[in-house]
Amino acid sequence: MVVRELDNHTFRLAVAQFDQAAERMNLDPNLRERLKLPERSLLVNVPVRMDDGAVKMFAGYRVQHDSSRGPSKGGIRYHPDANLGEVAALAMWMTWKCALAGLPYGGAKGGVQVNPKQLSRAELQRLTRRYAAAIFPLIGPDKDVPAPDVGTDPQVMAWMMDTYSMQVGYAVPGVVTGKPLSIGGSLGREEATGRGVVDVTLEAMRHLKLDIQTATVAVQGFGNVGANTARIMAETGARVVAVSDVSGGLYNAKGLAIPELLAWYRANGQTFSSCTMGDRITNEELLALDCTVLVPAALSEQITEANAAKISCRILAEGANGPTTLEADRILTDKGVFIIPDILANSGGVIVSYFEWVQDMQRFFWNSLDIRDRLHEIITAAFHRTLQFSRQRGVTMRMAALMSGIDKVAQAHLSRGLYP
Ligand code: NAD
């Protein structure tokens, strides 16, 4: 049963995945009911004075799915389609992701129903500050720690940190992660999710005895996750043959010049719409390319029953959260695609967010080599634990990752007991 307020397709996907794993684990039925639903869900209506003087209302959300293992953690999404069900699904995935990586966090997520590209910088700042003030009772370095997600960036995190700090009267860098370095951000956070995607993909390639030098890679989405994944993949020697954003994609069988493409993208309003540095392709065509590694790094439910049969990669490394529907997952598994599930593949972001929070709390900062090495250590260990679990129990990598994460959360609940 899904409560009506949360009922949307993304939440149904997260619950269906959870149900499959819970069934396989023989999870205590009482815990099963409890873990299906978020602990707290806040809906806020945010008034913002626009540059023309008018006041516009924006719906905002913050959902904490579980805090049994520590403060909850999860990004803030600015997107016109953001809604309570989607935010709740993303919060649930954060819970399993943090547990799988062994981080002392629960899962949360936030969102505002807005297209940030249609706001001026001043409007974006006012919206962010008012949203941060509205969710202020829920967040804090020991309670719930937001981070960037789709449509938000280090500047948005800086405004959130400042708003929170002004409310309490002193600087609290640990209230959000993904901040600029000048206010307690961490080296390596910006590229962390992409670096993690590459780390686990390389482990998967070793496992499958595939050579990186002859590998071809296609990346959907060219934001924080997609652009960093493409850049680091190219640096490791892979041939990145296709990239895309919401406006469509670019293809070159010999490999795209990623550093030049990145520079062009930044200089031209962050859209490929007028780019001629490769053959134009659609997002659908990109997903169907014959390649070694496909990285969906945009939004959820991009690979569905309708296009899964056309997917022609050896490894699917899920940079995005929830990019593959349940039916598509079955089709890909039957085709023998090696799937590195989202809660494992994109966990580099929250792992380095954790490093940032630890550094902020200790007022002691690490160098970039420390960050890279520790990220590599944690994410590759999680990959190998998941692979071993999947082989021992005869389940897919996705089921193995979900079952491992859910089991850690279940153990925490059983140890703590039910209050009162
Ligand atoms: P972003 O806003 O920086 O970039 C999103 C990219 O996706 C943009 O290039 C945009 O043009 C593209 N896009 C949007 N709609 C699209 C569509 N319909 N088809 C193709 N491309 C489309 O966001 P991000 O932070 O890179 O996040 C991308 C995904 O990765 C999301 O699912 C997010 O939840 C997940 N994720 C992000 C992080 C992080 O640290 N930022 C961590 C883990 C997971």
Side-chain angles (χ1 to χ4, degrees):
M1 235 303 265
V2 169
V3 293
R4 192 156 40 94
E5 290 77 3
L6 299 171
D7 192 16
N8 94 326
H9 48 96
T10 317
F11 191 68
R12 280 198 295 271
L13 170 61
V15 170
Q17 288 179 347
F18 169 74
D19 274 336
Q20 278 190 351
E23 194 64 42
R24 205 73 215 209
M25 294 164 70
N26 250 331
L27 189 68
D28 177 321
N30 291 323
L31 258 181
R32 193 159 157 174
E33 285 314 300
R34 201 172 157 193
L35 291 179
K36 238 184 233 189
L37 294 172
E39 237 169 60
R40 283 195 192 94
S41 309
L42 178 67
L43 158 66
V44 293
N45 291 301
V46 184
V48 179
R49 177 135 353 243
M50 308 305 281
D51 292 344
D52 65 4
V55 173
K56 224 172 144 178
M57 300 300 293
F58 295 91
Y61 313 92
R62 184 70 186 170
V63 174
Q64 297 170 347
H65 172 257
D66 189 81
S67 62
S68 58
R69 302 176 58 259
S72 47
K73 187 92 192 73
I76 308 267
R77 176 172 291 196
Y78 284 179
H79 193 276
D81 299 335
N83 62 74
L84 191 60
E86 181 188 68
V87 172
L90 292 161
M92 185 189 286
W93 284 323
M94 283 306 295
T95 303
W96 317 142
K97 191 185 297 182
C98 292
L100 177 67
L103 309 179
Y105 285 142
K109 205 82 183 189
V112 177
Q113 227 172 65
V114 61
N115 181 349
K117 292 205 160 159
Q118 286 173 357
L119 299 189
S120 70
R121 185 182 158 92
E123 289 168 341
L124 191 65
Q125 176 168 181
R126 289 196 290 274
L127 169 76
T128 299
R129 289 185 178 281
R130 187 61 193 243
Y131 168 70
I135 65 165
F136 176 82
L138 254 56
I139 61 172
D142 294 316
K143 295 202 282 191
D144 179 9
V145 186
D149 190 72
V150 174
T152 56
D153 61 12
Q155 179 59 70
V156 170
M157 293 305 115
W159 290 326
M160 290 198 71
M161 178 272 190
D162 184 65
T163 304
Y164 184 90
S165 300
M166 294 314 285
Q167 303 277 325
V168 297
Y170 53 91
V172 187
V175 66
V176 290
T177 58
K179 300 176 294 295
L181 287 177
S182 56
I183 50 168
S186 177
L187 291 167
R189 172 59 185 92
E190 213 258 323
E191 64 163 32
T193 310
R195 185 162 292 282
V197 170
V198 176
D199 278 352
V200 289
T201 303
L202 292 180
E203 293 305 308
M205 291 184 74
R206 257 177 229 122
H207 165 65
L208 299 169
K209 303 198 167 37
L210 298 169
D211 180 10
I212 186 77
Q213 302 302 327
T214 54
T216 53
V217 181
V219 183
Q220 184 203 33
F222 208 65
N224 175 288
V225 182
N228 281 300
T229 301
R231 175 180 61 79
I232 300 167
M233 281 286 187
E235 283 168 9
T236 60
R239 198 151 32 103
V240 180
V241 294
V243 295
S244 72
D245 67 7
V246 67
S247 73
L250 294 169
Y251 173 75
N252 182 344
K254 297 200 181 98
L256 295 161
I258 298 296
E260 289 79 4
L261 202 56
L262 260 168
W264 187 94
Y265 196 70
R266 288 192 187 122
N268 289 277
Q270 313 229 4
T271 167
F272 286 129
S273 51
S274 63
C275 188
T276 54
M277 294 172 76
D279 300 336
R280 297 291 311 184
I281 53 168
T282 64
N283 269 290
E284 272 306 306
E285 287 166 343
L286 179 143
L287 293 174
L289 282 176
D290 193 1
C291 58
T292 318
V293 182
L294 175 64
V295 185
L299 299 176
S300 59
E301 294 146 287
Q302 294 296 301
I303 304 173
T304 66
E305 201 171 8
N307 62 4
K310 294 190 213 136
I311 304 283
S312 183
C313 61
R314 184 71 190 85
I315 297 172
L316 180 74
E318 295 184 336
N321 286 306
T324 312
T325 66
L326 228 49
E327 300 75 28
D329 191 52
R330 241 185 324 264
I331 297 170
L332 296 182
T333 302
D334 288 347
K335 280 168 70 118
V337 174
F338 186 88
I339 300 176
I340 315 176
D342 47 6
I343 60 168
L344 172 61
N346 69 37
S347 63
V350 73
I351 293 170
V352 177
S353 270
Y354 166 61
F355 297 162
E356 179 174 334
W357 177 79
V358 167
Q359 294 170 82
D360 288 339
M361 301 300 265
Q362 297 185 338
R363 311 291 200 256
F364 180 78
F365 289 85
W366 313 349
N367 63 39
S368 32
L369 216 59
D370 283 341
I371 307 272
R372 240 190 231 196
D373 288 351
R374 289 182 193 199
L375 165 61
H376 181 78
E377 192 183 316
I378 293 179
I379 204 165
T380 55
F383 175 87
H384 287 291
R385 280 199 308 274
T386 309
L387 183 61
Q388 197 181 9
F389 188 109
S390 114
R391 295 173 115 190
Q392 276 171 354
R393 303 284 293 268
V395 294
T396 63
M397 284 290 280
R398 186 183 315 282
M399 245 340 95
L402 284 166
M403 289 166 75
S404 310
I406 294 168
D407 184 55
K408 283 196 184 155
V409 180
Q411 292 306 324
H413 278 273
L414 292 173
S415 303
R416 286 181 60 162
L418 179 61
Y419 178 86

